[in-house]
Amino acid sequence: MFKVFLLVAITASLFPGTVQLHCCIPSQLETYIDELSFVPGGRGSTVVQNMSYDAVTKRNAFHVFGDSIHDEYDAIIDYRANMSYSWAKGVCNVTYAGPFHEICFTGGKLVRKSFMGVYPDIIKLNTYLISSERFRWSITVGKTCTPVELRRQNDDFLNLMRFYNMTVGIRDESVFTPPKICSKKESRVPKTFQTPLFYRSTAMRGQFP
Ligand SMILES: *[C@@H]1O[C@H](CO)[C@@H](O)[C@H](O)[C@H]1NC(C)=O
Ligand SMILES: *[C@@H]1O[C@H](CO)[C@@H](O)[C@H](O)[C@H]1NC(C)=O
Ligand SMILES: *[C@@H]1O[C@H](CO)[C@@H](O)[C@H](O)[C@H]1NC(C)=O
Ligand SMILES: *[C@@H]1O[C@H](CO)[C@@H](O)[C@H](O)[C@H]1NC(C)=O
């Protein structure tokens, strides 16, 4: 006899959306994020990163893993000090951080309750929908607003972010300390820092529907 291992068992029920979403992700967490993007006629692209997010000290650090398409790099956005650093291959770019926004979701309609995992390790998930002029957003969160999946799409674009291996709290504060190469004066470049999409799209309260 063999056992059937269900890696992901999702049971879903659809029901009218009356419950509104309003929550902020845990104020301190470490997580991995896979970000998949698809455009018609193009090849899908995946970016894998891990991130430490600290709304208490207003700092965010992430590491983007390199692959055949993307270069590896690290970044720290220290909003408290209004400084951001990104570095790769011994070169560090330093610029301003701009204002800090907590990552919160508002205004979504509950469209699905589901369950993920293998018994007895089952977690309950809620999925909310938000429609803006340009995109349809689908936001799946677990208990205490832990992000599980963010989907952003329109007729010819899909962006999917999956969060996994997440822990609440910051175990390693050192991720927020920039390396020595970042304190060299010549590394300061007056350029606008490209924050990762997850941050761009969710952190800007005004912009997030
Ligand atoms: C990403 O994960 C690596 C390996 O576990 C770890 O060394 C690094 O500190 C993490 N980076 C962030 C920003 O959490
Ligand atoms: C640093 O800035 C240069 C010039 O704008 C850019 O080409 C490079 O990708 C940046 N590196 C990182 C790690 O942000
Ligand atoms: C960060 O520094 C820049 C340049 O000095 C400044 O224009 C901006 O207002 C500062 N932002 C915050 C949030 O302090
Ligand atoms: C999960 O996270 C821990 C700590 O951040 C890290 O050491 C480990 O490599 C991660 N596992 C995977 C599969 O990414």
Side-chain angles (χ1 to χ4, degrees), residues 73 86-88 93 191:
Y73 71 96
S86 63
W87 66 96
N93 294 339
K191 74 175 190 75

Side-chain angles (χ1 to χ4, degrees), residues 24-185:
C24 299
I25 70 168
S27 57
Q28 293 185 316
L29 58 81
E30 296 177 359
T31 187
Y32 282 69
I33 306 172
D34 284 3
E35 181 176 336
L36 295 86
S37 300
F38 303 95
V39 287
R43 289 170 65 186
S45 143
T46 310
V47 178
V48 179
Q49 60 172 290
N50 62 339
M51 173 180 87
S52 297
Y53 165 82
D54 189 345
V56 177
T57 64
K58 298 187 171 59
R59 290 179 299 179
N60 187 28
F62 55 92
H63 173 80
V64 173
F65 292 89
D67 58 25
S68 54
I69 305 166
H70 307 96
D71 288 332
E72 184 163 63
Y73 71 96
D74 289 276
I76 294 168
I77 311 173
D78 185 343
Y79 295 92
R80 195 174 49 175
N82 193 9
M83 294 298 278
S84 79
Y85 312 86
S86 63
W87 66 96
K89 300 183 192 116
V91 178
C92 178
N93 294 339
V94 183
T95 183
Y96 303 109
F100 177 77
H101 294 288
E102 229 181 310
I103 298 177
C104 301
F105 310 114
T106 49
K109 256 200 277 182
L110 181 61
V111 291
R112 197 171 86 158
K113 280 181 179 287
S114 55
F115 302 90
M116 188 183 271
V118 180
Y119 181 83
D121 300 315
I122 301 288
I123 61 161
K124 284 192 209 168
L125 304 177
N126 284 346
T127 299
Y128 299 83
L129 278 188
I130 299 178
S131 290
S132 68
E133 261 170 45
R134 294 178 58 211
F135 297 110
R136 295 185 300 280
W137 294 81
S138 150
I139 293 159
T140 301
V141 291
K143 228 169 42 179
T144 66
C145 203
T146 44
V148 173
E149 188 181 282
L150 298 184
R151 180 191 293 256
R152 186 173 65 122
Q153 67 186 110
N154 60 22
D155 291 341
D156 45 30
F157 170 81
L158 171 66
N159 177 270
L160 188 64
M161 275 175 268
R162 291 205 165 126
F163 297 77
Y164 57 98
N165 201 7
M166 185 183 300
T167 50
V168 170
I170 300 293
R171 284 170 302 180
D172 182 6
E173 287 276 338
S174 74
V175 298
F176 297 119
T177 306
K180 279 208 177 74
I181 47 161
C182 292
S183 43
K184 283 193 197 136
K185 213 164 178 198

